[in-house]
Each structure stands twice: as structure tokens, then as C-alpha cells.
């Protein structure tokens, strides 16, 4: 039996519902206290980062969160970034601090992430939050894997006892994804660049999560019939022949490519995997919007906790 009747999982629609719930929560909090505040540090001129940060600020405005972007030149020294983070840590009006990645070369990313106070670490990347996640304690969880679980739960998909295979082991997606699936009582396998027989391992998955960053890595041979396939990858196709290969006959995408010079694609060969999967997330419109929605959830949660702590003082 397929897990879902509607096979293409509409992350945008789920994200919209989550954002509207956050907006209600923000309104309630603002009545008795103030709106939550999120500060994003954007260092350098990376065009993709600018788009992501723009989307985050837009989402903040939509739900009533006070979203601020601090734009800094690529030449900003590490010391100055550390000082800025420390001063945001001490600022009681700030609930969430986010350092947008990638940073220009020369920065010690871990040092910056470790400097963000764990109770303002709405990205869930501080080692205290990462450790708590593996110990099943309450903590901030990285937004992408949190959004994936949220979507599967809202679709009432029974995860317990399923075999989940996560391809990718980064601190921001793969590892926390594995921890969350384990929390859901899945049997979890994590694959990476040194995994032998990736195809066979993936084919054992009831839930397959691809978080690699390689166009079309996951094809139909990696997918068991009836599996749920979650595509986290965000890559760009920049050649016309690639569009023809991955999206044969897709006029809409072809037109988008001709207009913009590239189109977004995940790690999964969507066209060829769709007939085998019982459910699959598209790119765009799958995991991406959920990530931003969960950032809003975490920021609201942080503000609520801060208020509770102040009351308890
Ligand atoms: P990283 O580059 O940090 O990690 C990629 C992982 O993939 C690594 O663990 C790597 O293994 C593994 N890998 C690389 N090649 C292979 C291969 N041939 N077979 C199996 N595993 C392989 O990436 P991120 O986790 O940060 O991001 C992954 C993708 O998700 C990217 O496309 C990114 O843009 C996207 N993303 C999307 C988000 C969204 O909201 N939709 C949010 C965050 C990321 P190893 O550890 O051995 O090197």
C-alpha cells in the first residue's frame, strides 16, 4: 500500500500552514511582551546567500518577527564578527542569531558558531544543541531536518520501525536528520562519499533522504518501489542539454531556464524516481520552504523561553 495518495509532497503548502501558526503565536507574544527578534549576519557578497537571507527576512515580516540583516564586507575580520556575536548574545531584545553560510575564506566557522549563545542558536548548530539532540533533550534543532520531520508528522506518516537511509552526514542536515529519524524510532543508516554500494543501501530504504549537493545522484536504481523520497539538495542546472535530460518535455522549466540562465534541481532525478516513489518532495517547493518556516518556529520558541526565564528571575 502506498503511504500517500498525493505523491508529490507540497512543502510550500505545509510551510504556509506552519507560518500562519507562527504568526498567531507571535501576535499573542507581542500582546504580553514584544515580537521576537532575529538577527542575521551576512558577510560578503555571495549572491545565493543574499537570496536566502532575503527570503528569511521576508518570512520574518510575514509572520511579524522583527528580522534584521547585518550586512558586512567580506574583509570583516574574525575578531569583529566574534565581538558582534558576543554583543548580540548580551542584548536581551535579541532572540535568535544566525551566521549565514558560506562565509568568505579565512573565517573559522566553528569558532563563530560556538560563540553564538546556545539559547539564541536558532540554527541548532552549537555543539551544546547538537549534543542535546543526540541525547533526546529539549534543544534547538537545525531547521531543514526539523522541517522534514514536521511535514512527515503532519502527513501522519508512521515512521516507527521503518528503515530510513540518509545520504549525507553534514552537521546541518545529514547528522541531525539521522538523530531525528532515530527519535522517531526509525532504523537509520547514514551514507556518505565513502559508502560502498550506495545504490543497494539506498534501495533498502522505506524513507530515503538525499542531502548531498549533486545533481541527479539518486536515480531510480537507488529507490525501492513505494519508498518516501525526500530531496534536500539545491543545485543549479546551467546547460540546456541538462534540462532536456532531467526534465524531458517540461516546457515550463525550459522557459524558466531561457529567462534566468539556470534552474534549480535537487539531488534526486525527480522525473525518473517519481514513478517508483510513494511520495517525493519536489525542488523547488519541497524542503526549502519548510526550512525557513522552521526558522520562524525556532525564533518564536526562543522568545517564549526568554520571556519565561525573565519571569522566573
Ligand atoms: P555538505 O557538502 O556539507 O555535505 C554533503 C554530504 O554529502 C557529505 O556528507 C558528503 O560525504 C556526502 N556526499 C558527497 N558526495 C557523495 C556521494 N557521491 N555519495 C554519497 N554521499 C556523498 O552539504 P550540506 O549537507 O550542507 O547540503 C547538502 C545539499 O542540501 C546541498 O545541495 C545544499 O545546498 C542543500 N541544502 C538545502 C537546504 C534546504 O533548505 N533545502 C538546506 C541546507 C542544505 P563526506 O562527508 O564523506 O564528504
Amino acid at each position: 500500500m502506498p503511504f500517500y495518495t498525493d505523491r508529490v509532497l507540497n512543502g510550500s503548502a505545509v510551510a504556509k500552514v506552519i507560518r500562519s501558526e507562527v504568526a498567531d503565536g507571535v501576535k499573542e507574544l507581542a500582546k504580553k511582551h514584544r515580537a521576537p527578534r532575529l538577527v542575521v549576519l551576512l558577510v560578503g557578497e555571495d549572491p545565493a546567500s543574499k537570496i536566502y537571507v532575503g527570503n528569511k527576512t521576508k518570512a520574518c515580516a510575514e509572520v511579524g518577527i522583527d528580522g534584521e540583516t547585518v550586512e558586512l564586507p567580506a574583509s570583516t575580520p574574525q575578531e569583529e564578527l566574534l565581538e558582534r556575536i558576543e554583543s548580540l548574545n548580551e542584548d536581551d531584545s535579541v532572540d535568535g542569531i544566525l551566521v549565514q553560510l558560506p562565509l568568505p575564506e579565512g573565517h573559522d566557522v566553528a569558532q563563530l558558531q560556538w560563540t553564538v549563545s546556545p539559547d539564541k542558536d536558532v540554527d541548532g548548530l552549537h555543539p551544546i544543541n547538537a549534543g542535546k539532540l543526540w541525547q533526546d533533550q529539549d534543544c534547538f534543532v537545525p531547521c531543514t531536518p526539523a522541517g522534514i520531520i514536521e511535514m512527515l508528522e503532519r502527513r501522519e506518516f508512521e515512521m516507527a520501525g521503518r528503515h530510513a537511509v540518509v545520504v549525507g552526514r553534514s552537521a546541518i542536515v545529514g547528522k541531525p536528520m539521522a538523530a531525528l529519524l532515530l527519535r522517531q524510532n526509525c532504523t537509520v543508516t547514514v551514507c556518505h562519499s565513502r559508502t560502498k554500494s550506495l545504490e543497494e543501501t539506498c534501495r533498502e530504504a522505506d524513507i530515503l533522504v538525499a542531502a548531498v549537493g549533486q545533481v541527479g545522484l539518486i536515480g531510480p536504481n537507488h529507490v525501492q518501489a513505494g519508498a518516501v523520497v525526500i530531496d534536500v539538495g539545491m543545485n543549479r542546472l546551467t546547460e540546456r542539454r541538462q534540462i532536456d535530460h532531467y526534465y524531458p518535455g517540461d516546457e515550463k522549466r525550459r522557459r524558466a531556464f531561457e529567462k534566468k540562465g539556470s534552474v534549480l534541481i535537487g539531488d534526486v532525478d525527480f522525473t525518473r524516481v517519481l514513478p517508483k516513489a510513494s511520495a517525493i518532495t519536489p525542488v523547488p517547493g519541497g524542503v526549502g520552504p519548510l526550512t525557513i518556516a522552521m526558522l520562524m518556529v525556532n525564533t518564536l520558541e526562543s522568545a517564549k523561553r526568554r520571556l519565561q526565564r525573565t519571569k522566573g528571575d
Side-chain angles (χ1 to χ4, degrees):
M1 276 289 285
F3 302 143
Y4 303 118
T5 44
D6 170 18
R7 288 193 304 141
V8 179
L9 297 172
N10 188 340
S12 302
V14 178
K16 196 173 167 195
V17 174
I18 298 172
R19 288 200 308 271
S20 109
E21 291 167 2
V22 172
D24 291 344
V26 167
K27 251 185 234 151
E28 219 171 283
L29 187 71
K31 262 190 241 158
K32 49 186 180 198
H33 182 48
R34 58 166 174 76
R37 184 170 168 222
L38 172 69
V39 178
V40 182
L41 295 181
L42 174 62
V43 188
E45 301 292 326
D46 182 56
S49 292
K50 285 197 165 188
I51 294 173
Y52 297 147
V53 170
N55 290 341
K56 287 169 189 171
T57 332
K58 210 172 119 200
C60 282
E62 193 192 310
V63 301
I65 289 176
D66 177 7
E68 186 190 326
T69 307
V70 179
E71 289 194 43
L72 298 161
S75 58
T76 310
Q78 176 90 357
E79 278 311 311
E80 186 183 331
L81 292 179
L82 291 171
E83 277 164 25
R84 280 183 182 267
I85 294 171
E86 271 156 12
S87 106
L88 292 169
N89 282 343
E90 280 158 27
D91 185 342
D92 241 1
S93 73
V94 175
D95 301 298
I97 305 167
L98 200 152
V99 181
Q100 183 65 39
L101 300 180
L103 286 170
E105 259 179 49
H107 288 288
D108 181 343
V109 176
Q111 189 190 29
L112 294 170
Q113 286 170 343
W114 288 38
T115 302
V116 172
S117 169
D119 64 7
K120 296 190 178 186
D121 170 38
V122 284
D123 245 352
L125 290 172
H126 193 285
I128 286 191
N129 284 317
K132 282 183 169 180
L133 175 61
W134 283 100
Q135 296 194 357
D136 290 336
Q137 290 180 34
D138 197 25
C139 62
F140 287 119
V141 176
C143 302
T144 303
I148 292 168
I149 296 292
E150 188 71 30
M151 178 177 63
L152 293 177
E153 279 186 325
R154 283 176 190 246
R155 296 293 296 252
E156 295 179 355
F157 170 51
E158 180 58 49
M159 286 175 263
R162 305 272 189 200
H163 186 182
V165 175
V166 180
V167 190
R169 58 173 164 179
S170 68
I172 194 160
V173 192
K175 285 195 182 95
M177 185 78 254
L180 288 178
L181 288 162
L182 204 54
R183 259 194 199 181
Q184 295 290 332
N185 296 312
C186 288
T187 302
V188 183
T189 303
V190 181
C191 300
H192 45 80
S193 65
R194 307 286 290 272
T195 297
K196 289 179 180 151
S197 50
L198 184 70
E199 260 186 29
E200 286 86 336
T201 310
C202 289
R203 259 204 315 270
E204 287 171 11
D206 301 310
I207 303 167
L208 178 61
V209 181
V212 175
Q214 276 184 31
V215 174
L217 177 75
I218 303 298
N221 290 342
H222 294 77
V223 178
Q224 168 184 199
V228 172
V229 181
I230 307 292
D231 191 355
V232 181
M234 285 213 288
N235 315 298
R236 289 212 163 263
L237 292 184
T238 53
E239 288 174 34
R240 170 71 191 258
R241 62 173 181 83
Q242 294 176 302
I243 316 281
D244 293 339
H245 173 76
Y246 285 107
Y247 302 108
D250 187 337
E251 278 310 318
K252 200 173 150 203
R253 235 173 271 251
R254 203 168 293 167
R255 278 198 300 276
F257 171 73
E258 266 144 29
K259 201 167 151 202
K260 296 183 188 159
S262 71
V263 294
L264 212 54
I265 186 169
D267 292 338
V268 176
D269 184 346
F270 183 88
T271 308
R272 294 169 184 88
V273 168
L274 177 65
K276 282 190 93 173
S278 67
I280 183 167
T281 58
V283 177
V287 173
L290 291 166
T291 300
I292 294 187
M294 293 314 288
L295 177 64
M296 303 297 109
V297 170
N298 282 356
T299 306
L300 172 60
E301 189 52 37
S302 175
K304 282 186 185 169
R305 288 183 198 172
R306 182 151 296 93
L307 177 62
Q308 254 167 12
R309 274 199 300 274
T310 336
K311 276 183 175 169
D313 281 348

